[in-house]
Amino acid sequence: MSNWESVIGIEIHIELSTKSKMFCGCAVNFDSPPNTNVCMVCLGMPGALPVPNQQALEWISQIGLALNCKITENTTFARKNYFYADQPKNYQISQAEGPVAVGGYLDIQVDGEEPHRVFIERAHMEEDTGKSTHVGSTGRIDSAEETLMDFNRAGTPLVEIVTTPSIKTGAQARVYAQKIRETVLALGVSDVKLEEGSMRFDSNISVNRPGEELGTKVEVKNMNSFRSLERATDFEIARQIAALEAEERLVQETRHWNEETQQSKSMRSKEGSSDYRYFTEPDMVPMVLDSEWVGRAQAALPELPHERQARYEELGLDAHAASVIVGLEPAYGLVLEEAVGAKADVRLVGNWLTQDVTAWARSEERTLDSSHLTGTGLAELAEMVSGGKLSATAAKKTLAGVLEGEGTPGEVATARDLIQMDDLGAIEAVVDGLIAEHPDDFARLVAGDGRVTGFFVGQAMRATGGKADPKVVNHILRDRASV
Amino acid sequence: MSAADLSIAEAQAQLASGALSSVELTEAVLARASMTEAQLHSFLHIDHAGARAAAEAADSKIADGTGGSLAGIPIALKDNMVTEGIETTCSSKILSGWVPPYDGALSQAMKAADAVMVGKTNLDEFAMGSSTENSAFGTSRNPWDTDRVPGGSSGGSAVAVTIGSALGSFGSDTGGSIRQPASLCGIVGMKPTYGLVSRFGLIAFASSLDQIGPFSRTVQDSVSLLEAAAGPDKMDATSYKGAYPNFGGSLGKGVSGLRIGVVKEFGGEGQEAGVTARFDATVAALEAAGAEVLEVSLPHAKYSVSTYYLIAPAECSANLARFDGVRYGLRVDGETVEDMMRKTRAEGFGPEVTRRILLGTYALSAGYYDAFYGQARRLRTLVIRDFATAYETCDVLVSPTSPTTAFKIGERSQDPLAMYLSDIYTIPSNLAGHPAISVPVGSDDLGLPVGFQIMAPALGEEMMYQVADAVETLMGRSPMPVLSEVAS
Amino acid sequence: MTSCGYCALFLVLVLVLVLVVLGAVNSVPMAIEIDIAHVARLARLGIPEEELAAYGEQLEVILEHAAAVQGADTEGVKPTAHPLGITNAFRQDEVRPSLDRAAVLEQGPDTTDEYFRVPPAMETE
C-alpha cells in the first residue's frame, strides 16, 4: 500500500429545504403522495418556462462562503443534455462555466491524524430529478418489468459541491462528508438526511505510483452512509491496487457499492465522458451576484462549525468533546452554552452530553430536544458533584432521571436517595464496622495488597446504599491501614 | 360585404355603436371559414361552440361597458400556443390529440381582452419551415393562388386573416415566420422586440429567438393586437419588465424628416424583379413624403443565415428532447424505455424537424461546439453592433421582407438550403432581438403580394409603426383576395 | 542508423510538425464528415438505417454552408445574453398550486392512479 498514492475526489449533492422548487412554485415535500407536487414546468410540458428561486441562490451563496469560496459575479445556468425518464425535459438545468461558487476549502481532521485541507473546486446550482421505482420480480433494476415514475422530486433545488482530487483516504472522505453535513446544518439550508436523499455523495478514485501520472479514474455510487463512503472508497483503492499489481488494465467506469456484500460492482462503462452538449440556458437571463449580494449572504451566515468548535475549546472543552457537540443537533450546543452560562464545570457537562445523553437518546430513540434536560439542570448537577453531594455514578443515575422527566437534579437525587453521606463520622463508623467484620482482608490491606481496597469500597457502598463517597472511604481505609 | 371583411378597428366601431354584435361578427367569420377551409386548410381546429359562447359573453360586456380591449373580436392562434382544454399539436404527430391542462400567457391575455378565439391555425411542424408544407396535417394554401404556399411557419394564421376567417391572428417569428407569410399573403405581420410578449405557453423552437406577434390587415389593427398581447410576465424569465413603448403613439405623424436606411446587403442576387419594383416604388414614395433615404451596411448580414441555422437547431434539439412518450403525446411501445423513446421520436417527428434536431445535436457536440455554436453566438453580437452603427445615422431600416413572392407548393420542399434562404432578410432582426414589421405594398405581375419590411432598434416599436402607417397610407391598404376565385 | 536514415527521420519529423501545426490552426476538418448514426443515437431518434445516409448527406451540405461562420473574425467578442440586457429575473420562494394529479396523469400514455409507467431502462446514459 505504501508504494501507491490514492487520489480521491468527492461530489456531494444537497437538496435545499426551500418551500418551493428551483424553477416553479410546486411545493418541496418528501412525504407527499406521488405526482401531487407537479406542474407544467417541472413536468417538462410544452410551452413551460423555468424561473429561478431567489432563496435557493441566496442559500448556495451562503454555502459557498462557508466553504471559503469566491462567489462568481456573473453566473448563468446551462443545459446538461441527456435522455432519461426521470429527467422530464431530457436535459437538466445546471451550471457549466462560471458556477456560483469556486475555489474554496474545508479543513478536516481524522481522529489521530494531522489536520488536512480539502480543496473545493466549485459549488453549483441545479435541479433534482424525479424518482423511478422499478417493479419486477425481484424489485431490482435488472429484472424490472416496468418502471413507475414519480415527479414530485423533479425540480427540487440541488447544490452540487465538487472537491478537487485532494482527498487521500476513505477516512478523510468520511470526515469531509460529515463536516459538509455539519456546515450545511449550521446554515439551516437543508435537512441533509442521508436516509431521505437530501444529501448524497459519489466518490471518484484513482491510484498511481509516486511520481507517475494519475491513474484511471473510477466513479463509485450508491453509498448511503458515511461509513459506507469510507469503506467503499477504501475497497476501491485496494481493488485498483490489486488489479494494477496483477498487471490488469483498469476501465474508466461507474461502480455501485453494495452495502450487504461490502463490494462494488461495475454498472456501466464510462468510455470517455458522456457528451452532455452543455450550452447556456436561453430560457433564463444571467445572474449578477455583486458585492452587495455577497455582503448580504456573508452577513446572513450563522456561526460556522469550526468557529463553534474554537469557541467551545476556549470555554474549556477538550477538542474531541467540542467536535462531537458541534456535530450533534443544535440542542446540545444550546444546553452546553446555557450550562456554562450558569457557571457549570464545562468538562463535566461536556462528558455528560457527549456520552450519557447521546447514549440515552440512542437507546430510548428520543432527542435531547424532547427531554426535560436543560443547561440550568446540568449546571445544578455539576454543582452537586463538585460539592461532594453526588458521586460520579450517582450523578449518572440522577441525569437519567432528569432526562426521563422525574424532576430537577435535586429532586431526582433526593427521590432516588442518591445523595452522598456527608457525615464523616457516619462513614467512619461504617468503615470501622467493616474492618471489624473482615479482619483477614484488612490484614492483607495493611500488608500492602491494594486490590482489597476495592472489596472494602464495594462493601461500604452496599452498606450505605451507594451514598458513601468512594474517595472518602478510600481515605479512611488508608488512614486506618497506616496506623 | 360580410362582416368578415372588416378590419378590427372598423368592427370595434360597429360593436360599440351597436350596429353589429359579436355573435353576428363571429358567425360571419365562421361562415367564411366554412366556405374556404376545404381549399385553404388554414385551421387545424375550429372551436365553434367555444367561439359562439365567447361572442355571447363579449356582447354582454360590450353592452355594459366592461369589455376588454379586443372585446368581441374573432381571432386565431397558431397551434404552437398552448390553449387549455383545446387540442394543441404544433402540427406534429407527436402531439396529435394533446389537450393541455393549462393555459399559455397569450391565450390568457386574449381571454382577459374578451377576444373571441375562433381556433388554432396550421403551421410548419414545430414552427420549422418557411412554407407550412412541413405540417404533419397537410399544407395551407395561399389565397391569392392556391397552388402556392402562404409562407411559413405561421402560414395558417396568415391565411385566416387574409381570407377573413379571423379579423386578427397571432403567429410566432423565430427567423421570419410571421413577416414572411405576411409578405406572401399581402397582410401586415410584425415581430416585437424580444421580451415584450411572454413566451410562457409558446411551445419553444429556439428560445433565444422566438417571439409571438400579430397578423392583421391594417397597421392600426396590428397595434391593437400587440397592445393586448404585450406585457411583463412573471412566468417568463426573459420577459421585459421595464417601461414599454407606446406602440401606436406616433401613428399618423408621417415620415417627414425621418432617416430611412436601405440595407445594402439585402438586394441583388436572388431577389425577384417584381419584389424589387415594389420595394423601389415604396422607397420613392417615402422619399417624396419627406423622408431622407440613406444606404446603410450590415456587414455581418452575410453570415446571418448560417448563424441562425446553427443557433436555432441547437436550441431546438434541446427544446424538443422533452417529447419522449413518457408524460404526454405520442408513445410507440418499446421493450426498454430507450427503445420506446427512439421509436416514438422517429415516428412522431417529420423530416424537417428530424433534420434540425440532428443538426443542432451535432453543432453542440463535443469537439464542434466552439467552431459552430460558439462562433454563431459571438456573431450575434457582431450583428447587434452592425445594427447599432446603422442606427447612428438612421431611425429605421428597410428592405423587402422576402426575396421572392409566394413560390409553388413543392418547389423548395426538397431543397432545405433553398428553403432556408427565404429568411435572409428577416433573420437579422431575430438575431438582434429587434422589432420588425412587414407591410403589403402591392403585387407583382402575377398578382402575388409583395411585403415591405421596416426594422427598428430594440423597444423602437413606436417609430416602426409610425413608418409602417405612413407606408400603408402612401401605398394603399392591401385588397383582400376575391372570394369567387378562391371558392372555385 | 545511416546518415540517410537520419535525413529521412528528420524529414518525417518536419512533416509531422507541419501537419500538427496545420491541425491546430484549423480546428475543423476541411470536408465535413458526420457520424450520423452517433448523432441520431445522442438525440434518441430511431431513424431507420436506410434513411440515415440521406440525412447525413443533407446535414453535410447544410453544415458546409453554415461553416461560413468560421470566416468571421470574432476575436474578443462575447455572446449577447439578452438583447435588452435583462439580469436577475428571480421568483420568490413561494408555493403556488400544483396541477391536479388526475389531470396530469390523464396526459400520460400509460399511467396508474398515481404514477407514470414506462418500460424498464436497460442502457444508462
Side-chain angles (χ1 to χ4, degrees):
Chain A
M1 199 76 162
S2 56
N3 47 0
W4 291 95
E5 286 175 352
S6 41
V7 176
I8 302 161
I10 306 280
E11 283 167 23
I12 295 184
H13 284 93
I14 289 170
E15 280 183 354
L16 296 181
S17 51
T18 48
K19 297 195 285 256
S20 63
K21 292 188 179 181
M22 188 65 218
F23 297 113
C24 67
C26 289
V28 172
N29 186 336
F30 180 78
D31 299 310
S32 296
N35 290 307
T36 51
N37 295 329
V38 294
C39 72
M40 67 290 273
V41 179
C42 54
L43 282 172
M45 288 188 142
L49 292 174
V51 183
N53 185 327
Q54 179 164 345
Q55 178 75 271
L57 269 314
E58 287 168 356
W59 283 357
I60 187 183
S61 304
Q62 287 180 31
I63 291 175
L65 291 171
L67 298 177
N68 305 290
C69 295
K70 174 170 156 6
I71 303 301
T72 304
E73 181 148 353
N74 282 288
T75 186
T76 55
F77 286 107
R79 293 187 185 178
K80 178 180 182 183
N81 297 283
Y82 67 97
F83 283 81
Y84 209 68
D86 66 8
Q87 192 67 267
K89 300 182 294 299
N90 287 311
Y91 59 85
Q92 178 191 40
I93 299 180
S94 178
Q95 296 194 284
E97 290 172 8
V100 172
V102 289
Y105 61 86
L106 189 62
D107 289 327
I108 63 165
Q109 186 166 22
V110 176
D111 268 347
E113 290 180 18
E114 289 295 302
H116 179 77
R117 176 161 289 188
V118 175
F119 290 96
I120 311 280
E121 188 176 295
R122 55 189 277 149
H124 71 250
M125 198 75 245
E126 57 185 29
E127 53 175 347
D128 210 345
T129 64
K131 278 194 196 154
S132 314
T133 310
H134 306 291
V135 178
S137 38
T138 68
R140 281 183 52 82
I141 190 169
D142 52 10
S143 74
E145 285 160 12
E146 63 185 14
T147 306
L148 302 179
M149 311 294 312
D150 170 16
F151 294 102
N152 278 352
R153 193 181 70 178
T156 302
L158 207 57
V159 171
E160 181 173 336
I161 304 173
V162 183
T163 69
T164 66
S166 50
I167 294 173
K168 308 264 176 267
T169 65
Q172 284 182 357
R174 168 180 52 83
V175 173
Y176 165 73
Q178 285 170 326
K179 270 250 148 322
I180 290 282
R181 182 172 179 275
E182 265 172 36
T183 304
V184 171
L185 264 179
L187 292 174
V189 301
S190 169
D191 59 17
V192 268
K193 289 185 185 170
L194 296 179
E195 66 276 19
E196 286 184 2
S198 52
M199 176 174 182
R200 323 198 274 260
F201 28 69
D202 303 325
S203 195
N204 289 286
I205 300 132
S206 72
V207 300
N208 57 272
R209 291 196 193 275
E212 286 185 8
E213 58 175 32
L214 295 176
T216 306
K217 191 170 69 164
V218 169
E219 183 184 25
V220 181
K221 294 173 103 78
N222 201 41
M223 299 155 293
N224 298 323
S225 68
F226 295 112
R227 285 286 159 200
S228 57
L229 170 60
E230 179 173 0
R231 284 195 222 107
T233 300
D234 286 335
F235 175 90
E236 181 56 24
I237 293 169
R239 185 192 76 85
Q240 290 193 11
I241 290 173
L244 291 173
E245 285 184 341
E247 314 238 329
E248 286 162 29
R249 203 180 74 90
L250 288 171
V251 170
Q252 189 182 1
E253 59 179 342
T254 299
R255 300 177 69 88
H256 268 221
W257 176 250
N258 187 322
E259 188 61 24
E260 284 168 54
T261 65
Q262 290 286 297
Q263 297 193 334
S264 68
K265 208 174 88 157
S266 179
M267 283 308 283
R268 59 200 181 202
S269 195
K270 238 186 173 187
E271 293 298 344
S273 39
S274 295
D275 187 355
Y276 292 119
R277 306 185 292 290
Y278 285 100
F279 66 100
T280 308
E281 171 58 78
D283 280 334
M284 285 184 283
V285 295
M287 295 169 284
V288 178
L289 309 180
D290 58 13
S291 54
E292 244 188 72
W293 173 284
V294 174
R296 282 197 304 272
Q298 188 80 53
L301 289 181
E303 189 186 34
L304 296 173
H306 71 267
E307 292 167 338
R308 265 176 86 202
Q309 167 109 14
R311 187 159 59 83
Y312 291 162
E313 286 181 44
E314 255 172 74
L315 287 175
L317 220 50
D318 67 81
H320 179 81
S323 135
V324 170
I325 292 188
V326 166
L328 293 166
E329 306 94 84
Y332 285 84
L334 291 172
V335 166
L336 172 74
E337 287 163 25
E338 192 182 74
V340 168
K343 306 278 189 274
D345 178 333
V346 72
R347 265 176 303 258
L348 279 175
V349 172
N351 280 340
W352 284 327
L353 284 171
T354 59
Q355 290 165 30
D356 302 89
V357 177
T358 55
W360 170 86
R362 261 195 312 275
S363 73
E364 300 300 311
E365 290 187 354
R366 298 268 308 275
T367 61
L368 172 56
D369 250 328
S370 71
S371 80
H372 290 79
L373 185 65
T374 62
T376 322
L378 276 179
E380 191 190 329
L381 190 64
E383 175 62 40
M384 289 170 84
V385 170
S386 315
K389 277 192 160 164
L390 288 176
S391 66
T393 323
K396 282 178 189 287
K397 291 183 184 163
T398 308
L399 178 55
V402 175
L403 283 166
E404 287 300 332
E406 290 169 23
T408 66
E411 289 164 0
V412 173
T414 307
R416 289 194 185 195
D417 196 27
L418 292 168
I419 295 184
Q420 284 185 153
M421 295 168 68
D422 52 10
D423 179 350
L424 186 60
I427 301 176
E428 283 177 332
V430 169
V431 173
D432 288 333
L434 287 169
I435 291 172
E437 269 177 67
H438 306 276
D440 301 323
D441 297 296
F442 184 64
R444 278 167 40 211
L445 179 69
V446 170
D449 187 352
R451 287 172 299 170
V452 193
T453 316
F455 167 73
F456 276 107
V457 171
Q459 289 297 308
M461 298 307 277
R462 273 182 62 199
T464 62
K467 290 193 287 191
D469 185 347
K471 288 202 290 286
V472 171
V473 171
N474 247 305
H475 182 82
I476 299 169
L477 280 169
R478 271 205 306 277
D479 199 57
R480 298 297 187 261
S482 63
V483 162
Chain B
M1 179 175 133
S2 160
D5 299 326
L6 293 171
S7 71
I8 293 175
E10 288 162 353
Q12 283 172 325
Q14 293 196 26
L15 289 168
S17 74
L20 183 67
S21 71
S22 175
V23 167
E24 287 165 337
L25 175 57
T26 301
E27 289 299 345
V29 161
L30 288 173
R32 181 64 54 83
S34 297
M35 239 195 332
T36 58
E37 267 302 285
Q39 272 254 286
L40 301 179
H41 188 46
S42 63
F43 281 92
L44 292 178
H45 179 77
I46 299 180
D47 183 16
H48 292 94
R52 290 188 173 107
E56 279 173 26
D59 276 330
S60 318
K61 284 185 136 185
I62 293 168
D64 64 24
T66 60
S69 66
L70 292 175
I73 302 296
I75 53 126
L77 259 50
K78 184 176 181 181
D79 204 31
N80 62 353
M81 298 176 194
V82 170
T83 44
E84 186 173 354
I86 295 177
E87 188 181 353
T88 302
T89 67
C90 292
S91 290
S92 177
K93 288 201 290 197
I94 216 166
L95 276 182
S96 178
W98 182 57
V99 179
Y102 77 99
D103 218 12
L106 183 71
S107 177
Q108 290 177 44
M110 289 302 108
K111 287 174 183 166
D114 297 312
V116 173
M117 200 190 71
V118 172
K120 309 295 291 301
T121 60
N122 197 18
L123 59 149
D124 280 300
E125 187 182 359
F126 283 107
M128 298 182 204
S130 307
S131 66
T132 314
E133 292 171 287
N134 292 327
S135 167
F137 308 123
T139 190
S140 302
R141 289 165 185 273
N142 193 316
W144 294 96
D145 178 343
T146 57
D147 290 329
R148 295 179 184 263
V149 303
S153 60
S154 313
S157 279
V159 171
V161 166
T162 305
I163 203 60
S165 302
L167 262 54
S169 67
F170 285 92
S172 66
D173 190 311
T174 305
S177 292
I178 292 174
R179 292 162 283 157
Q180 186 252 24
S183 172
L184 269 50
C185 288
I187 57 173
V188 177
M190 75 79 72
K191 178 198 87 68
T193 303
Y194 183 87
L196 291 196
V197 178
S198 172
R199 291 185 302 115
F200 185 80
L202 173 66
I203 299 176
F205 159 20
S207 315
S208 72
L209 299 164
D210 294 342
Q211 267 295 276
I212 290 175
F215 287 102
S216 56
R217 278 175 236 135
T218 68
V219 170
Q220 170 65 72
D221 285 358
S222 184
V223 169
S224 303
L225 289 165
L226 182 61
E227 273 170 356
D233 187 8
K234 288 202 297 259
M235 302 294 279
D236 177 354
T238 60
S239 160
Y240 180 63
K241 289 146 184 113
Y244 275 61
N246 180 1
F247 302 129
S250 296
L251 293 179
K253 286 189 182 168
V255 292
S256 184
L258 292 186
R259 301 161 301 164
I260 295 180
V262 173
V263 179
K264 175 169 95 174
E265 286 81 5
F266 293 172
E269 200 184 311
Q271 196 175 104
E272 282 174 355
V275 169
T276 310
R278 296 316 305 154
F279 177 74
D280 289 346
T282 310
V283 171
L286 286 167
E287 204 164 16
E292 188 192 329
V293 176
L294 319 159
E295 190 186 69
V296 292
S297 171
L298 298 177
H300 294 90
K302 61 180 185 272
Y303 298 111
S304 37
V305 173
S306 313
T307 300
Y308 175 79
Y309 280 100
L310 289 171
I311 293 179
E315 293 180 5
C316 99
S317 69
N319 285 330
L320 267 61
R322 64 191 63 198
F323 300 103
D324 60 3
V326 173
R327 290 147 284 118
Y328 48 80
L330 178 73
R331 179 190 288 197
V332 176
D333 286 317
E335 296 230 330
T336 64
V337 69
E338 295 84 1
D339 204 33
M340 181 273 279
M341 287 187 182
R342 276 192 293 260
K343 287 184 170 142
T344 298
R345 290 161 65 77
E347 186 166 317
F349 290 138
E352 183 60 35
V353 170
T354 302
R355 212 170 356 255
R356 296 202 194 189
I357 292 175
L358 289 169
L359 189 48
T361 306
Y362 180 84
L364 289 172
S365 61
Y368 304 108
Y369 179 97
D370 202 67
F372 287 118
Y373 183 73
Q375 179 74 343
R377 287 200 72 213
R378 292 187 288 270
L379 258 168
R380 267 181 98 164
T381 301
L382 293 180
V383 168
I384 293 171
R385 286 187 195 170
D386 281 357
F387 274 111
T389 306
Y391 287 125
E392 280 167 14
T393 55
C394 299
D395 297 303
V396 297
L397 303 182
V398 297
S399 76
T401 304
S402 167
T404 69
T405 56
F407 42 93
K408 286 206 187 277
I409 291 171
E411 186 181 309
R412 295 188 192 178
S413 53
Q414 301 311 307
D415 185 354
L417 210 52
M419 190 70 86
Y420 297 166
L421 292 169
S422 313
D423 298 326
I424 199 166
Y425 306 151
T426 48
I427 281 174
S429 307
N430 299 87
L431 293 176
H434 290 175
I437 190 169
S438 180
V439 182
V441 289
S443 51
D444 70 1
D445 294 335
L446 295 174
L448 300 171
V450 175
F452 184 81
Q453 178 176 234
I454 301 155
M455 296 168 270
L459 299 174
E461 275 84 346
E462 188 174 343
M463 171 70 71
M464 179 202 77
Y465 274 123
Q466 178 181 348
V467 176
D469 176 63
V471 166
E472 184 181 71
T473 308
L474 290 167
M475 307 306 286
R477 204 179 120 173
S478 195
M480 289 176 74
V482 176
L483 258 182
S484 56
E485 286 172 15
V486 171
S488 62
Chain C
M1 223 192 301
T2 63
S3 65
C4 193
Y6 277 120
C7 259
L9 181 63
F10 178 74
L11 284 173
V12 166
L13 287 172
V14 167
L15 183 63
V16 167
L17 189 67
V18 166
L19 286 173
V20 165
V21 168
L22 275 181
V25 160
N26 222 353
S27 55
V28 171
M30 309 292 178
I32 295 175
E33 277 169 34
I34 301 169
D35 179 358
I36 193 72
H38 175 68
V39 179
R41 256 194 316 271
L42 280 178
R44 291 288 189 278
L45 292 166
I47 300 168
E49 185 113 6
E50 58 273 19
E51 290 173 30
L52 271 179
Y55 277 115
E57 278 160 27
Q58 287 165 359
L59 246 67
E60 278 164 16
V61 166
I62 296 166
L63 278 167
E64 271 154 22
H65 181 86
V69 296
Q70 284 149 35
D73 179 9
T74 58
E75 183 71 45
V77 178
K78 288 198 153 71
T80 305
H82 191 289
L84 298 175
I86 298 174
T87 60
N88 291 16
F90 294 123
R91 40 172 273 276
Q92 297 309 303
D93 185 27
E94 283 155 6
V95 174
R96 285 172 46 109
S98 293
L99 287 175
D100 172 55
R101 179 164 74 182
V104 159
L105 290 175
E106 207 188 344
Q107 309 282 307
D110 186 8
T111 64
T112 68
D113 288 339
E114 299 174 295
Y115 295 95
F116 292 90
R117 255 202 294 244
V118 293
M122 277 315 159
E123 306 154 26
T124 47
E125 176 59 42

